[in-house]
């Protein structure tokens, strides 16, 4: 008898006892349902944790700076109790000298990174880092000078923010607050990963940037942006803010009213990008800073590159860690800025001769005061043509730049090379990927040390640590423990199927005798009952999976309403297939003893059974 024939006989027998077959299959599916539900929740929670990791790491990347300091060593120097223990008398308080160690730490722990070499490594195929990152951002020490495009009421700078200068708080106060808010830059570079951005944000109006001079406004999940951002961007008047500040200083009550704007109003925002090198105009043989000349600045802003807000985006409801109240631009805008600066005349002149200061026309660090006798005939003739105001400006600019260095000028002009970033931010896909990235950096450092190039060793800062990876481990442990408990019910249900199969053997004793009488062997009889348990296991497994999928619907609805997380219970396809196979295997094993018992029955005794 073939196994196919055995399956046919078993199927016919189960079909004649539909009610018992269904009840038996349902009982056998209870364990499958329990494990499937745990797998569904575990799978959904793991996907949610992955999203949290991805969102978190999109805000806290692995940061590598050209110059960095080991802050942990500084803290250790400040708090360390190490050193020789000296017994003191109890009636006096003694000093503990740590400044020497602190000075040593401050000077020895300042580390430099060769980011040009490391960037070449990251961009090469040897690093294999692209498999583990969402994006790699290269930062440069270049200021993005942005102004309101409308200069009718004067030139208004929006980046870097001048909001505290506008308050008239004095240079000391404004510098303190400007430094404090410098970390909160309204203009920020978007990640160069469209799929990740689209998964984190919804476009509520307009579109995503498609050109280098297009940006998006990022609002909160409640369609809000702070009034600080509104004042910084020039949407709200900085003059009115100054008036309110003066009123407050004078003891008057002030209030800040809530304002609102239509999408069209915000999509009409335009700004102008001014290059660092554009502030300077050549007069004679030196370049003069014209940033304080209102007419020059108005003309400069009017003729600069226009930056347009083309979209308004909002974090979707399931995004965990995002920023809002910002203007997001693409990395193409920074590349454009760097390239245009490097193409300017003043930059070309300075780069062509590193010994001559373009702002003084003389060599760097001469320490000489302004002296007409040190000027050439052409320069003296040019100065004689200037009025008193222009001459004073010329002398002021000359004096201010006498003590500067070549590197100071490069920084002032915003000169940078795309091959030499000042910072590198690496955004891992998840915490496992972050560990792989750390290993890649370690391998790179080892390679540099093996080649006797210790100066290329990279030191980095990890902002997040291992917090979320610990959460992942906890979830995995809980899932495994729950599956172990539910697996007990699966084994119990399999044993129950074995018992029901044994009862079926007793009920079909006469049938066994007939089959043996017409020539069926012991193996054939055993095969018939094994086929029955396989069918029972298959039906139980499939029924368990179907019931689990149905139960996941109300579970997801409840979880969505309680914690606002959708699709948290999701059964993986592979897990469903494996559970069905497990159900079949366990019921088959449970039915081996009853089927063997049936095969050993004496056919003569079986035929006499009523």
């Amino acid at each position: 008898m073939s196994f196919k024939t055995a399956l046919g006989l078993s199927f016919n027998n189960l079909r004649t006892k539909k009610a018992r077959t269904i009840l038996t299959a349902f009982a056998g599916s209870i364990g499958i349902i329990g494990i499937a539900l745990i797998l569904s929740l575990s799978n959904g929670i793991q996907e949610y944790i992955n999203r949290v990791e991805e969102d978190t790491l999109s805000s806290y990347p692995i940061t590598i700076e050209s110059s960095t300091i080991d802050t942990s060593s500084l803290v250790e120097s400040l708090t360390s109790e190490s050193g020789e223990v000296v017994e003191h008398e109890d009636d006096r308080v003694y000093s503990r000298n740590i400044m020497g160690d602190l000075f040593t730490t401050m000077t020895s722990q300042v580390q430099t990174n060769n980011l040009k070499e490391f960037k070449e490594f990251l961009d090469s195929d040897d690093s294999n880092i692209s498999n583990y990152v969402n994006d790699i951002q290269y930062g440069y020490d270049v200021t993005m000078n942005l102004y309101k495009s409308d200069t009718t009421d004067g030139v208004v700078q929006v980046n870097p923010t001048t909001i505290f200068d506008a308050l008239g708080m004095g240079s000391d106060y404004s510098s303190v607050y400007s430094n404090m808010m410098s970390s909160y830059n309204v203009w920020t570079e978007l990640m160069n990963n469209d799929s990740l951005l689209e998964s984190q944000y919804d476009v509520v109006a307009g579109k995503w940037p498609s050109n280098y001079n297009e940006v998006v406004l990022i609002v909160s999940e409640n369609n809000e942006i702070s009034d600080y951002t509104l004042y910084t961007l020039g949407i709200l008047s900085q003059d009115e803010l100054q008036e309110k500040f003066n009123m407050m200083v004078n003891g008057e009550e002030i209030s800040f009213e809530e304002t609102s704007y239509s999408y069209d109003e915000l999509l009409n925002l335009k700004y102008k990008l001014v290059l660092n090198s554009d502030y300077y105009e050549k007069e004679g043989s030196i370049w003069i800073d014209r940033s304080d000349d209102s007419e020059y600045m108005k003309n400069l802003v009017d003729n600069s590159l226009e930056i347009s807000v083309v979209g308004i985006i909002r974090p979707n409801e399931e995004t965990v860690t995002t920023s809002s109240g910002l203007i997001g631009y693409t990395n193409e805008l920074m590349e454009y800025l760097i390239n245009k600066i490097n193409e300017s005349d003043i930059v070309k002149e300075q780069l062509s001769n590193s010994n001559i200061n373009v702002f003084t026309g003389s060599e760097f660090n001469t320490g000489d005061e302004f002296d007409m006798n040190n000027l050439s005939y052409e320069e003296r003739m040019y100065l004689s043509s200037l009025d008193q105001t222009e001459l004073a400006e010329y002398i002021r600019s000359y004096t201010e730049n006498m003590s500067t260095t070549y590197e100071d000028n490069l920084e002032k002009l915003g000169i940078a090379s795309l091959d030499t970033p000042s910072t590198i931010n690496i955004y891992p896909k998840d915490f496992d990927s972050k560990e792989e990235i750390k290993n890649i950096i370690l391998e790179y450092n080892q390679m540099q040390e093996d080649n006797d190039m210790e100066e290329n060793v990279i030191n980095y800062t990890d902002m997040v640590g291992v917090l979320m990876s610990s959460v992942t481990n906890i979830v995995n442990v809980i899932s495994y423990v729950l599956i172990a408990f539910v697996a007990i019910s699966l084994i119990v249900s399999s044993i129950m199927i074995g018992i029901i199969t044994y009862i079926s053997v007793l009920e079909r004793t006469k049938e066994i005798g007939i089959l043996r009488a017409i020539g069926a062997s012991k193996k054939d009889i055993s095969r018939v009952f094994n086929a029955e348990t396989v069918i029972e296991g298959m039906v139980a497994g499939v029924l368990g999976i179907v019931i689990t999928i149905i139960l996941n619907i109300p579970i997801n609805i409840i979880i969505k309403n309680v914690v606002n997380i959708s699709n948290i219970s999701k059964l993986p396809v592979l897990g469903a297939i494996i559970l069905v196979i497990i159900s079949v295997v366990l019921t088959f094993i449970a039915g081996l003893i009853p089927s063997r018992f049936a095969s050993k029955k004496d056919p003569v005794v079986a035929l006499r059974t009523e």
Side-chain angles (χ1 to χ4, degrees):
M1 181 187 299
S2 66
F3 190 72
K4 181 179 179 180
T5 303
L7 281 174
L9 289 173
S10 299
F11 181 76
N12 288 332
N13 177 64
L14 294 174
R15 190 174 57 180
T16 60
K17 303 170 184 177
K18 295 177 183 176
R20 191 177 75 174
T21 301
I22 294 174
L23 289 174
T24 302
F26 177 74
S29 68
I30 292 176
I32 296 294
I33 294 172
I35 293 180
L37 285 174
I38 291 175
L39 279 179
S40 299
L41 289 170
S42 175
N43 178 60
I45 291 173
Q46 187 58 56
E47 288 187 0
Y48 174 72
I49 289 176
N50 291 340
R51 291 201 304 270
V52 171
E53 289 178 352
E54 192 173 57
D55 291 345
T56 302
L57 291 172
S58 67
S59 299
Y60 301 99
I62 294 176
T63 302
I64 305 171
E65 299 178 338
S66 56
S67 296
T68 184
I69 186 168
D70 188 353
T71 55
S72 60
S73 297
L74 280 177
V75 173
E76 184 178 350
S77 296
L78 287 170
T79 60
S80 176
E81 297 287 343
S82 60
E84 183 180 355
V85 178
V86 180
E87 296 291 338
H88 296 295
E89 297 183 11
D90 294 337
D91 59 345
R92 299 180 67 82
V93 176
Y94 298 85
S95 67
R96 180 169 58 89
N97 299 325
I98 65 170
M99 291 306 298
D101 293 337
L102 181 61
F103 285 167
T104 302
T105 301
M106 290 175 64
T107 55
S108 64
Q109 295 301 322
V110 175
Q111 301 161 333
T112 59
N113 292 318
N114 186 347
L115 297 191
K116 180 179 181 180
E117 187 75 22
F118 189 59
K119 182 178 184 296
E120 291 179 2
F121 171 74
L122 294 179
D123 293 340
S124 69
D125 295 332
D126 297 336
S127 67
N128 198 33
I129 200 171
S130 59
N131 297 326
Y132 308 106
V133 299
N134 282 320
D135 188 26
I136 300 177
Q137 278 187 351
Y138 300 114
Y140 301 88
D141 287 331
V142 180
T143 303
M144 188 171 290
N145 304 294
L146 291 149
Y147 295 80
K148 287 185 65 175
S149 62
D150 185 4
T151 59
T152 305
D153 298 327
V155 175
V156 178
Q157 185 172 359
V158 299
N159 191 69
T161 181
T162 58
I163 188 171
F164 295 105
D165 295 333
L167 297 181
M169 299 171 64
S171 59
D172 293 338
Y173 285 103
S174 62
S175 62
V176 169
Y177 285 102
S178 295
N179 291 334
M180 179 186 69
M181 298 302 292
S182 62
S183 59
Y184 184 70
N185 194 347
V186 172
W187 291 76
T188 184
E189 183 176 331
L190 296 170
M191 291 183 63
N192 191 26
N193 187 323
D194 294 340
S195 60
L196 178 58
L197 288 175
E198 291 171 2
S199 70
Q200 293 179 331
Y201 296 93
D202 297 325
V203 178
V204 297
K207 63 171 186 174
W208 287 99
S210 56
N211 296 313
Y212 67 91
N213 63 331
E214 295 179 343
V215 298
V216 290
L217 174 64
I218 307 173
V219 299
S220 70
E221 61 273 8
N222 297 320
N223 273 27
E224 294 177 340
I225 52 177
S226 69
D227 56 354
Y228 171 81
T229 300
L230 294 173
Y231 283 114
T232 299
L233 294 178
I235 300 174
L236 290 177
S237 173
Q238 293 186 5
D239 292 335
E240 293 180 3
L241 181 64
Q242 182 178 0
E243 290 179 9
K244 291 183 177 181
F245 180 78
N246 292 335
M247 291 171 61
M248 184 192 68
V249 171
N250 294 328
E252 301 179 39
E253 291 188 4
I254 62 172
S255 62
F256 291 89
E257 298 178 358
E258 182 179 289
T259 58
S260 64
Y261 306 88
S262 68
Y263 289 154
D264 290 337
E265 287 179 295
L266 296 176
L267 290 176
N268 283 329
L269 292 175
K270 309 289 183 183
Y271 297 96
K272 292 300 185 74
L273 176 65
V274 175
L275 310 181
N276 286 36
S277 54
D278 287 343
Y279 290 119
Y280 305 97
E281 185 178 39
K282 192 167 187 179
E283 295 186 358
S285 61
I286 70 172
W287 292 81
I288 304 296
D289 185 355
R290 294 297 191 194
S291 58
D292 292 331
D293 187 331
S294 58
E295 184 177 349
Y296 178 88
M297 287 300 301
K298 183 179 185 304
N299 182 65
L300 175 62
V301 171
D302 289 339
N303 292 281
S304 295
L305 174 72
E306 186 172 76
I307 307 296
S308 303
V309 176
V310 298
I312 301 174
I313 62 175
R314 176 179 62 202
N316 60 47
E317 58 184 11
E318 295 185 5
T319 301
V320 179
T321 305
T322 56
S323 301
S324 60
L326 305 174
I327 294 288
Y329 60 88
T330 65
N331 64 325
E332 294 175 348
L333 180 59
M334 179 56 71
E335 292 180 4
Y336 167 86
L337 176 62
I338 292 174
N339 290 330
K340 292 298 289 185
I341 288 176
N342 292 339
E343 292 171 4
S344 64
D345 292 337
I346 184 175
V347 169
K348 289 180 179 179
E349 183 177 328
Q350 183 63 84
L351 292 177
S352 64
N353 193 340
S354 60
N355 296 321
I356 302 299
N357 186 342
V358 294
F359 298 114
T360 62
S362 59
E363 293 184 0
F364 284 101
N365 294 323
T366 58
D368 296 333
E369 295 182 358
F370 181 78
D371 188 348
M372 291 286 288
N373 296 323
N374 295 331
L375 303 180
S376 65
Y377 173 78
E378 291 78 8
E379 290 172 333
R380 288 197 296 270
M381 290 298 295
Y382 170 76
L383 292 181
S384 64
S385 65
L386 301 179
D387 58 29
Q388 292 297 321
T389 303
E390 292 173 335
L391 181 60
E393 176 65 22
Y394 186 99
I395 296 174
R396 181 192 64 80
S397 176
Y398 187 97
T399 305
E400 285 181 354
N401 290 281
M402 283 192 305
S403 60
T404 59
T405 64
Y406 177 70
E407 288 72 22
D408 292 334
N409 279 9
L410 297 185
E411 182 178 354
K412 181 186 296 186
L413 294 171
I415 301 173
S417 170
L418 292 173
D419 295 330
T420 311
S422 58
T423 60
I424 298 178
N425 290 324
I426 303 176
Y427 295 88
K429 291 181 177 179
D430 49 43
F431 281 88
D432 291 335
S433 298
K434 188 179 71 170
E435 295 305 316
E436 292 295 333
I437 293 171
K438 288 183 178 180
N439 292 335
I440 290 174
I441 296 176
L442 290 175
E443 292 174 2
Y444 171 83
N445 288 341
Q446 186 62 51
M447 178 178 67
Q448 298 301 324
E449 291 176 356
D450 293 342
N451 294 330
D452 294 327
M453 302 179 70
E454 286 79 6
E455 67 275 8
N456 291 339
V457 170
I458 293 298
N459 302 280
Y460 61 91
T461 302
D462 183 7
M463 299 285 290
V464 180
V466 295
L467 175 62
M468 291 303 297
S469 60
S470 300
V471 174
T472 303
N473 292 334
I474 292 172
V475 171
N476 288 337
V477 170
I478 293 174
S479 299
Y480 296 149
V481 171
L482 291 176
I483 289 175
F485 278 114
V486 178
I488 297 175
S489 66
L490 181 61
I491 295 173
V492 171
S493 62
S494 299
I495 294 174
M496 183 189 64
I497 290 177
I499 294 172
I500 294 174
T501 304
Y502 177 73
I503 295 173
S504 178
V505 170
L506 297 178
E507 291 176 343
R508 298 168 64 187
T509 301
K510 190 170 184 177
E511 181 184 341
I512 294 171
I514 294 172
L515 289 173
R516 291 296 306 276
I518 62 176
S521 65
K522 292 182 179 181
K523 287 185 179 180
D524 292 334
I525 300 300
S526 179
R527 191 175 290 119
V528 168
F529 287 97
N530 285 336
E532 185 172 318
T533 57
V534 167
I535 294 174
E536 287 278 9
M538 177 68 72
V539 174
V542 173
L543 185 62
I545 297 303
V546 172
I547 293 175
T548 300
I549 294 173
I550 295 173
L551 290 176
N552 278 339
I553 297 174
I555 290 174
N556 283 324
I557 294 174
I558 294 172
I559 294 177
K560 173 68 174 178
N561 292 330
V562 173
V563 295
N564 197 31
I565 302 175
S566 59
N567 295 326
I568 199 66
S569 186
K570 184 190 302 181
L571 181 64
V573 176
L574 180 60
I577 295 173
I578 292 175
L579 285 176
V580 172
I581 294 174
I582 290 175
S583 176
V584 171
V585 170
L586 287 178
T587 53
F588 175 77
I589 294 173
L592 286 176
I593 295 176
S595 64
R596 185 173 179 83
F597 177 79
S599 67
K600 289 185 176 181
K601 277 188 174 295
D602 189 320
V604 176
V605 176
L607 287 170
R608 291 176 182 172
T609 304
E610 295 295 334

